[in-house]
Amino acid sequence: AMSQINPKLAERTKNIGHGMLRLPEGKMSSRTGKVITGESLIEKVEELVKEKIKDRELSEKEKKEIVEAVAIGAIKYSILKQSIGSDIIYDFDKSISFEGDSGPYLQYSYARARSVLRKAKLEGIKPNFKKVPNEITQLEKSISYFSEIVFEAQKRYEPHCLVLYLTELAGIFNSYYAKNKIVDKADQYSPYKIALTETFVTVMKNGMWMLGIKTLEKM
């Protein structure tokens, strides 16, 4: 149809089929009343996020920004993590989890890394790669795969490749964070660790931008 209406646009367009958005209890049905509009889906997820962060020491402005960004990020992640053509099972509770396989988990991991960089700045430790530890960790290896993953996702029209990569990378950074004291004036490798954290932040920000998921400075 598009080739008849706008041939030039049709030449630059590729149609990619996709599955249906379903709820955990089954597919939506207008006959039974099990229907969710885009607006109501966003509103419901926002309410769940609002409840989740209600006790955090944040200003109302910060909470509002977090609720909006996390809700939209949760929905986008849940859709994009599925391979093209598959049905999407939308689970409300899993979608807003801060512990892996969710949009909020990516946002939380990014915010944690940004917090490390702010602390380094306060301590006056500047990032650099002058002194490199003898042992290279999984974090360095995983970061190096970014451009390859992006190319593969673009070539195959499969955004879920990038989603899975960023989720794995976030998990690797969080493990690195748990095992290493990154900001430490007594550690000769602290500038390297901070530079590595800065690189992780850049990769996450670029990757999440490609997915349309907003990054947050605090969560």
Side-chain angles (χ1 to χ4, degrees):
M2 192 181 288
S3 65
Q4 297 297 315
I5 299 166
N6 192 332
K8 288 185 179 179
L9 182 59
E11 288 172 8
R12 304 197 308 270
T13 304
K14 180 179 177 66
N15 179 57
I16 301 172
H18 56 83
M20 300 289 290
L21 182 68
R22 301 175 184 270
L23 301 174
E25 60 268 23
K27 72 175 185 177
M28 287 184 262
S29 167
S30 56
R31 184 174 57 80
T32 60
K34 284 186 180 178
V35 176
I36 295 180
T37 64
E39 291 84 354
S40 62
L41 177 63
I42 293 170
E43 285 173 8
K44 182 168 181 179
V45 177
E46 283 184 345
E47 285 302 316
L48 292 170
V49 176
K50 198 179 292 182
E51 181 64 24
K52 200 175 183 76
I53 67 166
K54 68 177 181 180
D55 297 325
R56 302 203 174 192
E57 293 182 6
L58 298 162
S59 68
E60 287 305 310
K61 184 181 177 182
E62 286 173 328
K63 283 184 179 179
K64 187 174 185 295
E65 182 187 0
I66 290 169
V67 166
E68 290 176 358
V70 169
I72 297 297
I75 295 168
K76 286 184 176 180
Y77 182 100
S78 296
I79 293 170
L80 294 173
K81 76 175 183 177
Q82 302 292 337
S83 60
I84 295 297
S86 302
D87 282 354
I88 299 150
I89 311 298
Y90 193 86
D91 187 305
F92 287 96
D93 292 328
K94 285 183 180 178
S95 74
I96 61 165
S97 170
F98 284 18
E99 298 176 3
D101 198 22
S102 71
Y105 180 66
L106 299 188
Q107 291 167 317
Y108 179 75
S109 302
Y110 175 88
R112 168 179 272 177
R114 288 291 297 156
S115 177
V116 170
L117 296 181
R118 286 194 296 273
K119 185 180 178 183
K121 192 173 182 180
L122 287 173
E123 294 282 333
I125 309 174
K126 294 182 178 180
N128 67 65
F129 290 110
K130 291 176 183 176
K131 281 206 169 188
V132 180
N134 294 325
E135 185 183 349
I136 298 300
T137 70
Q138 188 59 43
L139 183 56
E140 287 95 333
K141 294 174 186 175
S142 295
I143 285 172
S144 71
Y145 301 147
F146 179 57
S147 58
E148 184 181 328
I149 295 294
V150 171
F151 176 75
E152 190 66 19
Q154 181 268 333
K155 186 175 76 171
R156 292 167 48 190
Y157 299 99
E158 289 281 14
H160 84 279
C161 295
L162 181 56
V163 173
L164 296 176
Y165 166 77
L166 292 178
T167 305
E168 185 177 336
L169 179 62
I172 291 167
F173 171 76
N174 287 323
S175 295
Y176 181 87
Y177 174 88
K179 294 174 185 174
N180 295 275
K181 189 174 182 182
I182 298 173
V183 181
D184 184 0
K185 284 186 175 180
D187 182 2
Q188 63 176 326
Y189 297 120
S190 188
Y192 172 85
K193 293 174 183 176
I194 294 164
L196 185 59
T197 301
E198 196 172 60
T199 305
F200 165 78
V201 162
T202 301
V203 168
M204 289 297 291
K205 186 169 188 176
N206 289 339
M208 290 166 70
W209 174 80
M210 290 177 197
L211 298 174
I213 296 175
K214 189 177 180 181
T215 54
L216 292 163
E217 295 297 306
K218 288 182 183 179
M219 278 186 75

